[in-house]
Amino acid sequence: KEAWLEKIIPIAHENGIQIHAWMWTMPCNDPNILAKHPEWYVVNRKGESAAEYPAYVSYYKFLCPRRPAVRKFVSERVAALASISKLDGIHLDYVRMPDVILAEGLQPKYDIVQDEEFPEYDYCYCDYCRNEYMEIAGIDPLEIEDPASDERWYQFRYQAVNDMVNQFLVPKAREKNKFITAAVFPNWESVRQEWHQWDLDGFLPMLYHEFYNADIQWIGEEVKKAIVRLDNEKPVFAGLFMPHMNDEDLDQAYDIAKSNGAAGFALFAHSNLKDRDFELLKKMTGKKE
């Protein structure tokens, strides 16, 4: 409700800090949109709309990335941010579909076991997506015998997000010379997020190792995979989840990520940082490499 970014940008710049606006891209909990445009939301294989039956948590009300009206709506939000004077960049989060399979470490939290792609978590089967796919493939996706094994149906949904990012969001940022990045998943298939096909300026894979029942070394392995998958010079910043970091873990994770090619790191979230973490940050950022 306030011009908050405009207030903090000059303060940050005076101290040598860039400001990138962080935005939820696909979830939309705006009561006005929910009331006026319920058709904009993704629909699962059971026929349930995320507007009324969100998966996992109440805020998982995801918009459908293929619908033209949604692409226009989201791109206008990017354009509005890009128009803010002196803003350094825009950071896209939740630029995907809901998780068809949660990271294995998270499943017990929701008291579920996902050993296959269950219909209630499989998106998007809205009328628009179904009609578009029928025109391309000649079959209603609801009639696909094994959706999890159908490469063409998989790619159709990857492409919905790819096209929205590359054709609608990136151009709005570039028109105003803004850096544009995204938070992305290591298990990208599970969220229909083929992010190595995106024309961004940087990538921040969320390498929250305990969600995947992995150790610190896994962070470096995933950084390396991301760089190979991208196959370009775009920087990869290792996303680290602070509640998973104990003692010297943060410093160790930084070294592992850097040694595997990371351009830097991202910490989630500021509210999780303790006094000792700030001392570790000084140590990490003071290293000469």
Side-chain angles (χ1 to χ4, degrees), residues 103-289:
E104 52 268 34
L106 283 173
Q107 293 182 29
K109 177 181 177 181
Y110 297 97
D111 194 26
I112 56 176
V113 175
Q114 294 174 318
D115 50 6
E116 62 180 274
E117 295 191 1
F118 292 107
E120 56 265 47
Y121 308 113
D122 184 18
Y123 296 88
C124 174
Y125 293 81
C126 72
D127 290 344
Y128 189 86
C129 284
R130 287 171 61 195
N131 289 332
E132 288 283 297
Y133 192 72
M134 280 190 280
E135 286 190 20
I136 294 170
I139 184 174
D140 184 339
L142 283 175
E143 297 176 1
I144 297 173
E145 188 172 341
D146 184 10
S149 300
D150 194 302
E151 291 185 15
R152 193 172 187 181
W153 174 231
Y154 249 79
Q155 191 58 49
F156 178 83
R157 289 174 292 174
Y158 291 151
Q159 204 60 43
V161 183
N162 294 350
D163 290 347
M164 190 187 67
V165 171
N166 292 333
Q167 298 177 19
F168 292 87
L169 309 189
V170 170
K172 291 298 183 184
R174 297 261 166 82
E175 282 174 13
K176 299 294 184 179
N177 298 313
K178 304 299 186 187
F179 203 77
I180 183 165
T181 62
V184 295
F185 272 50
N187 58 332
W188 55 274
E189 300 97 333
S190 292
V191 291
R192 320 306 189 201
Q193 192 188 55
E194 196 180 33
W195 51 264
H196 49 281
Q197 300 293 340
W198 299 353
D199 183 28
L200 301 179
D201 298 305
F203 298 82
L204 286 71
M206 296 178 288
L207 306 181
Y208 303 170
H209 60 287
E210 290 188 4
F211 289 167
Y212 299 90
N213 293 333
D215 58 17
I216 294 284
Q217 293 295 329
W218 177 86
I219 293 170
E221 294 165 8
E222 288 299 320
V223 166
K224 187 179 294 184
K225 285 181 185 178
I227 292 170
V228 170
R229 189 180 302 128
L230 281 171
D231 192 28
N232 58 37
E233 298 301 316
K234 301 296 178 65
V236 171
F237 301 89
L240 309 178
F241 190 54
M242 291 308 300
H244 293 171
M245 298 294 161
N246 302 306
D247 300 325
E248 295 291 328
D249 285 354
L250 183 60
D251 192 28
Q252 184 184 1
Y254 169 79
D255 286 339
I256 291 168
K258 289 287 285 183
S259 65
N260 280 280
F265 56 96
L267 304 180
F268 189 85
H270 181 270
S271 59
N272 299 123
L273 290 168
K274 302 177 177 63
D275 289 344
R276 190 167 184 282
D277 295 323
F278 284 105
E279 292 304 314
L280 282 172
L281 284 172
K282 289 178 184 178
K283 175 184 174 183
M284 291 154 62
T285 55
K287 291 180 179 178
K288 303 298 181 183
E289 297 184 23

Side-chain angles (χ1 to χ4, degrees), residues 28 33-34 37-55 57-58 60-64 67 98 119-120 122-127:
C28 180
I33 300 298
L34 285 160
H37 300 290
E39 75 281 4
W40 283 10
Y41 290 80
V42 291
V43 174
N44 66 22
R45 194 163 16 120
K46 290 179 68 177
E48 298 169 335
S49 170
E52 298 180 80
Y53 303 97
V57 286
S58 61
Y60 254 44
K61 296 180 172 70
F62 278 67
L63 299 172
C64 173
R67 285 181 175 267
E120 56 265 47
D122 184 18
Y123 296 88
C124 174
Y125 293 81
C126 72
D127 290 344

